[in-house]
Amino acid sequence: MAKQSLPTTNFDYEFGGPVGAFATMCSLPVVIVLLILWADLGYISFDFDELEAVFVSLGGTDLSSYKLSVCILFSWVAGCVLLTALLPCTIHSGVQISPTGGGKKFSLKYLLNGHLQFWTTLLALFLGCSLNFSRKLLADCTQTASTTSSYLSYFTASASSCASPNQTQNYFYAVSFGSPFPLLSLLHGLLLPLSIVTVVFSAFVSVLLYVKSFSKGAVLAPGGDSGNLVYDLFIGRELNPRLVKDPETSKSKHNYVFNNLAHFDLKEFFELKPGLIAWVVLNLAMLSAQHSNLGYTSGSMILLNLNQALYVWDALYNEISILTTMDITTDGFGFMLMFGDLAWVPFTYSIQGYYLVKHDPMLSLPSLALIACLNVLGYKIFRGANTQKDVFRRNPTSEACKDWNYIDTKRGTKLLTSGWWGVARKVNYTGDWLMGLSWCLTCGFGSVVPYFYAIYFAILLVHRSIRDDHFCAVKYGDDWGRYKEKVPYRFVPLIF
Ligand code: NDP
């Protein structure tokens, strides 16, 4: 059995403790659904009848939509696992981990091939769309899958399907009016049921992860081992759940796939692959649906797709950087990250695109250019700071770091005080937020709904910076105070 849980009293709870964790788990799925309904409407509404009508029109009460969504979700996650196992990869060591309750420090190896997976998925999607593969596949399905045949027959019914019932109309208008990418438009039409199915799946996996955390040898995250079921399920009890417990001893000489899977880290996988790549695919679905809906693809939609794809590409291109982030080194893997990675990120981060499908603000070229500049500025700060820290953490004595200032600490790890890290202690968050703001601005000022991201992200980053400040104060003691004196501002020099 894993180490005994700590008593619930005296535990340093975050997120409002068990009550806060429970409230968060119940409320965030509702927020996803509301955002989708509001983005479709184009404004915030609390009129129950109005919301119910949109819910129905978006397939929220249609059983066949849920069945298809389950198929899509399972195929997607399974496809991502397969690509992770099959594509060429590099294996990298993570930071040193101190097991809970003492014991020898160790570092885990991680299988990295997210960047290749990103391009492989997009290429497959492109080929699928351009060869009209999807239509043929769906037509074939109608002969074999009796349960979905009535549903899919709408899809092949061409223009006549315009008169189909409300909830099905959504998926098929794209085909009927000649969508360039019918499969993508199908995803747009299924967004609501797909999001609900993903939430349920995330919750189910979180429960499995919680149960797995009691298996022999599991290394626990100190912050997720309170002994309170609800809280630990939310935060995540096990630090690095893996498919294979002891990769070195179970390595096979000849089996490439097995050896890859031996380093398959569930948290790293869900953090970077199915959710993030799904976000880009959903954005493309919005682009395709906008074309079907409005008859054109707007500048806002193109810019949004490019900017958000850059963000995802960057995360996967710099996959190695994730190994030094708080999510990997400190937090357990539970509902917070599982739901966040697989449900929250793709379905709420794509909400601007969803809004633009029906509510294009027709921004002028100069406005779009200004927004693009803001995104570039944010990206420069975000990438500059994260790369600096990553290079420094990997090898502070390397040639690249020779002119950088830092302070030595009793803990042994140095703290950078020059470059971006001399500007503000969380300047990487500032850059990230500026990019997020630029995405919202592509939707104009017609509604507050697409600004949800900037508002939510500001709250997340402030809260996250407080958490990290607390962790660092514990890790570094007095040295953290010395560092804060040298770099007094958190986000923006002289202001915040
Ligand atoms: P950081 O990358 O800032 O990592 C925090 C850790 O960095 C600290 O715990 C400390 O760990 C180390 N550190 C802090 N200050 C210094 C310093 N001066 N010199 C060297 N090391 C230092 O935070 P996150 O992991 O939270 O975020 C990483 C990126 O991911 C950010 O850019 C953030 O914006 C982004 N992000 C995006 C989210 C999204 O939903 N889009 C969600 C969350 C994050 P130690 O000393 O132990 O190495």
Side-chain angles (χ1 to χ4, degrees):
M1 286 288 283
K3 203 182 140 287
Q4 280 288 304
S5 292
L6 301 171
T8 13
T9 48
N10 300 330
F11 190 82
D12 202 1
Y13 283 119
E14 301 176 83
F15 297 94
V19 176
F22 183 72
T24 309
M25 284 194 279
C26 295
S27 57
L28 291 188
V30 178
V31 174
I32 294 184
V33 171
L34 276 178
L35 274 174
I36 292 175
L37 303 185
W38 289 342
D40 188 74
L41 282 171
Y43 52 86
I44 292 178
S45 164
F46 291 105
D47 179 337
F48 186 79
D49 292 338
E50 188 173 33
L51 291 177
E52 191 187 13
V54 187
F55 188 81
V56 172
S57 75
L58 295 182
T61 51
D62 182 23
L63 190 62
S64 52
S65 317
Y66 286 97
K67 284 185 187 165
L68 193 59
S69 299
V70 169
C71 295
I72 291 175
L73 177 68
F74 280 21
S75 324
W76 177 254
V77 175
C80 289
V81 173
L82 262 183
L83 286 181
T84 304
L86 293 176
L87 288 174
C89 63
T90 52
I91 308 284
H92 285 272
S93 295
V95 297
Q96 294 248 307
I97 295 169
S98 317
T100 19
K104 209 172 150 219
K105 282 190 176 184
F106 67 98
S107 73
L108 289 167
K109 289 195 171 134
Y110 289 84
L111 178 172
L112 309 183
N113 59 11
H115 185 226
L116 194 55
Q117 191 165 144
F118 173 80
W119 287 116
T120 308
T121 310
L122 288 192
L123 182 69
L125 199 68
F126 173 75
L127 290 177
C129 290
S130 54
L131 297 174
N132 224 349
F133 181 71
S134 53
R135 272 191 218 203
K136 186 185 175 309
L137 193 70
L138 287 167
D140 289 350
C141 285
T142 48
Q143 290 161 12
T144 50
S146 57
T147 46
T148 51
S149 61
S150 59
Y151 173 89
L152 293 169
S153 63
Y154 283 110
F155 200 74
T156 51
S158 188
S160 60
S161 67
C162 297
S164 51
N166 235 1
Q167 67 263 38
T168 47
Q169 196 169 344
N170 235 314
Y171 327 135
F172 307 116
Y173 70 79
V175 187
S176 312
F177 295 118
S179 160
F181 307 119
L183 189 62
L184 285 175
S185 295
L186 172 78
L187 284 179
H188 164 262
L190 277 178
L191 196 74
L192 182 67
L194 196 54
S195 68
I196 294 172
V197 163
T198 310
V199 167
V200 174
F201 177 75
S202 308
F204 179 69
V205 176
S206 310
V207 173
L208 292 184
L209 289 167
Y210 179 75
V211 173
K212 187 190 169 301
S213 74
F214 287 93
S215 62
K216 194 167 175 279
V219 174
L220 306 183
D225 188 24
S226 71
N228 181 291
L229 188 151
V230 173
Y231 185 79
D232 293 349
L233 179 83
F234 172 73
I235 292 280
R237 203 165 168 270
E238 189 173 352
L239 187 59
N240 307 99
R242 295 192 150 221
L243 288 183
V244 177
K245 196 134 270 156
D246 194 351
E248 294 311 324
T249 50
S250 43
K251 250 185 170 177
S252 140
K253 253 190 180 165
H254 307 293
N255 195 329
Y256 171 79
V257 173
F258 184 82
N259 287 343
N260 274 0
L261 289 177
H263 299 296
F264 190 103
D265 185 273
L266 287 166
K267 187 166 60 168
E268 201 272 343
F269 170 76
F270 278 106
E271 184 95 340
L272 279 184
K273 284 151 190 171
L276 273 187
I277 301 176
W279 176 15
V280 174
V281 174
L282 286 177
N283 272 346
L284 289 171
M286 306 310 168
L287 186 143
S288 170
Q290 190 197 48
H291 188 272
S292 313
N293 195 37
L294 303 179
Y296 64 89
T297 304
S298 71
S300 287
M301 183 61 101
I302 292 171
L303 187 62
L304 182 73
N305 264 266
L306 288 174
N307 286 345
Q308 295 193 337
L310 169 73
Y311 190 75
V312 173
W313 169 83
D314 175 87
L316 292 163
Y317 182 75
N318 295 291
E319 189 177 9
I320 193 169
S321 308
I322 200 172
L323 304 186
T324 56
T325 61
M326 208 157 89
D327 289 1
I328 296 293
T329 61
T330 313
D331 286 327
F333 192 30
F335 184 88
M336 181 174 74
L337 289 180
M338 182 64 213
F339 166 84
D341 296 339
L342 194 68
W344 184 259
V345 167
F347 294 102
T348 65
Y349 289 22
S350 60
I351 214 70
Q352 294 105 357
Y354 195 61
Y355 173 86
L356 286 175
V357 170
K358 290 192 177 168
H359 314 281
D360 177 42
M362 305 243 208
L363 294 184
S364 65
L365 216 54
S367 308
L368 290 172
L370 275 178
I371 294 170
C373 290
L374 183 63
N375 190 67
V376 170
L377 173 71
Y379 182 71
K380 201 165 161 40
I381 300 173
F382 164 84
R383 181 45 38 225
N386 284 331
T387 302
Q388 243 173 27
K389 191 194 77 176
D390 193 52
V391 168
F392 188 70
R393 271 286 167 267
R394 230 150 266 296
N395 183 7
T397 56
S398 71
E399 184 63 16
C401 311
K402 74 176 185 338
D403 295 327
W404 296 355
N405 300 325
Y406 55 82
I407 60 168
D408 282 309
T409 69
K410 291 185 231 36
R411 184 184 180 233
T413 42
K414 305 171 195 312
L415 289 169
L416 264 172
T417 54
S418 68
W420 286 112
W421 295 88
V423 174
R425 298 194 302 276
K426 283 290 173 197
V427 73
N428 52 344
Y429 287 9
T430 311
D432 205 343
W433 187 77
L434 288 177
M435 280 191 280
L437 178 66
S438 80
W439 307 339
C440 301
L441 287 168
T442 54
C443 298
F445 297 110
S447 167
V448 74
V449 177
Y451 285 84
F452 164 80
Y453 182 79
I455 298 164
Y456 139 82
F457 203 44
I459 298 168
L460 178 137
L461 293 178
V462 170
H463 178 250
R464 205 174 159 93
S465 72
I466 295 169
R467 281 187 85 207
D468 195 41
D469 190 60
H470 173 71
F471 288 145
C472 288
V474 173
K475 279 191 280 191
Y476 290 103
D478 300 348
D479 294 325
W480 189 246
R482 276 201 303 132
Y483 169 63
K484 282 169 84 167
E485 273 171 27
K486 276 207 167 244
V487 189
Y489 293 98
R490 190 181 296 189
F491 296 114
V492 186
L494 305 175
I495 299 175
F496 192 176

